[in-house]
Amino acid sequence: MKTSTLALALALTLAACGRSNDTRAQDGVFADNRVLPGDALSMKASFAPVVREAAPAVVNIAAIGVQQVRDPFWGIPGQRQTGSVGSGVIVRADGVVVTNNHVIEGMQQIRVTLNDRREFSARVVLADPRSDIAVLQLEGVNERLPTLNIDDREEQQVGDLVLAIGNPFGVGQTVTNGIISALNRTETGISDSGSFIQTDAPINPGNSGGALVDMDGDLIGINTAIFSRSGSSSGVGFAVPATMVRRVVDSAVGGATAVVRPWLGVKGDTISADIARSLGLDRPQGLVVTDVYAGGPGDRAGLREGDVITAIDGAEVNDQGGLNFRVGTRAPNDTVQVSVLRDGRPQTLNARVQPLPGDADIDRATVIRSGVLSGAQVLALNPALADSLGGDPFATGVIVGRVQRGSYANRSGLQGGDIIMAVNGRAVTSVDQLADLARGSEVVIERRGRRITGVIR
């Protein structure tokens, strides 16, 4: 592992050797060769050497957009200017900048200010709402700019010192410090496929898109969210790990307009204490497979229902979000090692992950022309479409795109985004089942996670 100047000054060196499971301190030295500060001089050491290396590559971002509005009294349409302030990180010397998608989403003008106060216009190369990462290209760059190295080796440990560098509240570049509070946070409500670094380094509005750096001055994450009742830092911040940042940057630099996420084609349940006992496990760990997509990567690799997935490429997996993240950081057609427990015995399977099957373009939907659902634009769900809409790739049914105003479907109460699950007790799997539907038909729909049963009048 790497050794930094500051880490030496703080006597927190990470030696280039294997780690032991025994982390008990012996005379101030841990088994993985990290050592505690031994004197007052070590405690007074400064973060300045790391800041000098990292800060020049962290930028301030100001974005301006135009929002369509309607006068609340007269109903006259108009426009209103909106703005956003955030941070970013230069990751390539030719002016490629990483930030959060929510900083630039819906904005028409983006202005980037460097640490030395130079300003550049920027254009969006790729925006990935799912990871909340966007890649920008500075315009008019005619020299090599300072950069931060993306360290995606995932060697961090809980308790490691980190710095957060960004533009909180728009006051200008600010550096705060803290530790890694947790790794692989998945159940945060931020993303269904995110696995975040948690830190107590103060992060506030405006820090979004800024850098989380380690004591080598490398980028290990992009600060993206906080948990707070007041809107200000409460010591619980989250950063998108460098593995996902690298995946989005590589996609953008490679000419892609979107990040294509592969899948394993399995879903499962988190192992609870009760499930662990029923499976004979010594502790709750892993994800028990409940469904395998026929012909998918997991199916071809030999995964079965009842298998317990414990790791992907050696990285521990304990829930569906963690599995989605680990697979999502790989490129389509990559081979991953899936560690499983089957009948209590560990096995390793090799799976070639691939893009989700099906067409994700909802604009190719069919408009029903007859029957009580006429006027509804509908499309049979497939894994790619369901996933693009934030749903379960295993879901079946017909999704409603748009509903024409004044149509039969509109008067029946059908809404865009509804998933028609069943008609008259039969599961719906194709658009043809909805043609010429008669009044009095019983329809089961799923709307924003709720299942509703009704009769069409």
Side-chain angles (χ1 to χ4, degrees):
M1 301 173 70
K2 297 178 294 181
T3 304
S4 69
T5 303
L6 181 59
L8 285 168
L10 288 173
L12 290 171
T13 304
L14 308 184
C17 67
R19 290 179 179 152
S20 167
N21 292 327
D22 184 4
T23 56
R24 293 173 294 178
Q26 298 177 351
D27 298 326
V29 182
F30 286 90
D32 65 356
N33 282 9
R34 300 183 182 214
V35 295
L36 297 170
D39 51 46
L41 182 61
S42 296
M43 294 294 290
K44 292 180 180 179
S46 172
F47 292 110
V50 177
V51 175
R52 279 197 298 269
E53 290 293 322
V58 181
V59 301
N60 299 342
I61 295 177
I64 298 174
V66 176
Q67 184 180 32
Q68 301 298 319
V69 297
R70 186 175 292 274
D71 186 282
F73 296 103
W74 306 107
I76 301 173
Q79 295 182 334
R80 180 176 63 190
Q81 183 171 291
T82 60
S84 175
V85 175
S87 308
V89 181
I90 306 172
V91 294
R92 280 176 50 121
D94 59 355
V96 174
V97 172
V98 174
T99 186
N100 280 146
N101 178 69
H102 73 257
V103 172
I104 53 85
E105 189 172 24
M107 300 297 165
Q108 282 77 46
Q109 300 177 38
I110 303 172
R111 198 72 181 167
V112 175
T113 304
L114 273 58
N115 179 250
D116 61 9
R117 304 181 68 177
R118 284 182 293 168
E119 293 187 2
F120 295 88
S121 294
R123 59 180 175 85
V124 179
V125 179
L126 187 154
D128 184 46
R130 194 157 180 179
S131 65
D132 198 20
I133 295 294
V135 179
L136 313 178
Q137 175 65 62
L138 302 186
E139 298 181 325
V141 176
N142 52 21
E143 61 183 280
R144 293 182 63 81
L145 299 179
T147 64
L148 271 183
N149 174 57
I150 302 175
D151 183 357
D152 60 353
R153 295 179 298 175
E154 296 189 291
E155 295 178 331
Q156 298 82 32
Q157 296 184 39
V158 174
D160 280 354
L161 288 167
V162 290
L163 301 180
I165 309 176
N167 181 27
F169 302 109
V171 301
Q173 191 177 92
T174 301
V175 181
T176 56
N177 82 284
I179 63 170
I180 293 177
S181 305
L183 294 166
N184 303 317
R185 286 290 196 212
T186 54
E187 297 179 355
T188 60
I190 302 171
S191 168
D192 65 345
S193 60
S195 181
F196 298 91
I197 300 172
Q198 182 182 331
T199 178
D200 69 346
I203 297 172
N204 289 289
N207 273 109
S208 291
L212 188 70
V213 303
D214 62 13
M215 292 298 98
D216 296 301
D218 290 335
L219 182 72
I220 62 169
I222 293 293
N223 299 317
T224 192
I226 59 174
F227 278 174
S228 173
R229 290 189 173 92
S230 65
S232 297
S233 176
S234 58
V236 183
F238 298 95
V240 179
T243 48
M244 181 57 73
V245 176
R246 172 83 70 185
R247 178 84 173 84
V248 179
V249 170
D250 287 349
S251 297
V253 173
T257 57
V259 178
V260 179
R261 285 179 173 79
W263 77 325
L264 188 59
V266 301
K267 69 176 181 177
D269 292 332
T270 300
I271 300 288
S272 65
D274 289 339
I275 295 176
R277 281 192 292 270
S278 69
L279 295 175
L281 303 178
D282 57 358
R283 66 180 179 89
Q285 61 170 329
L287 182 79
V288 60
V289 175
T290 58
D291 203 351
V292 179
Y293 191 82
D299 185 26
R300 291 196 299 273
L303 280 165
R304 309 173 188 168
E305 291 183 24
D307 284 348
V308 176
I309 300 175
T310 58
I312 298 291
D313 289 331
E316 187 174 291
V317 167
N318 284 306
D319 52 33
Q320 189 71 48
L323 177 66
N324 294 345
F325 173 80
R326 288 294 160 193
V327 175
T329 59
R330 304 303 297 268
N333 298 314
D334 279 356
T335 298
V336 300
Q337 287 190 334
V338 186
S339 300
V340 302
L341 292 173
R342 178 177 295 169
D343 299 326
R345 294 187 296 273
Q347 295 187 27
T348 300
L349 304 175
N350 292 317
R352 187 180 181 188
V353 295
Q354 294 180 325
L356 283 80
D359 189 346
D361 187 1
I362 197 169
D363 290 333
R364 297 187 182 182
T366 299
V367 177
I368 298 178
R369 300 296 182 186
S370 60
V372 293
L373 295 185
S374 64
Q377 184 189 44
V378 294
L379 186 66
L381 278 176
N382 58 67
L385 177 59
D387 184 68
S388 71
L389 297 172
D392 179 5
F394 284 74
T396 59
V398 170
I399 189 165
V400 179
R402 301 181 183 90
V403 178
Q404 294 174 0
R405 185 176 297 180
S407 66
Y408 277 111
N410 182 226
R411 293 196 293 272
S412 297
L414 209 60
Q415 299 178 12
D418 286 349
I419 298 175
I420 303 175
M421 310 288 294
V423 171
N424 295 327
R426 293 180 58 192
V428 173
T429 57
S430 73
V431 173
D432 293 341
Q433 293 175 257
L434 304 179
D436 300 319
L437 205 61
R439 291 185 180 184
S441 298
E442 183 185 77
V443 177
V444 180
I445 67 171
E446 183 178 296
R447 177 177 294 166
R448 292 185 287 276
R450 292 181 56 210
R451 186 160 291 196
I452 303 170
T453 301
V455 176
I456 298 178
R457 302 298 182 187

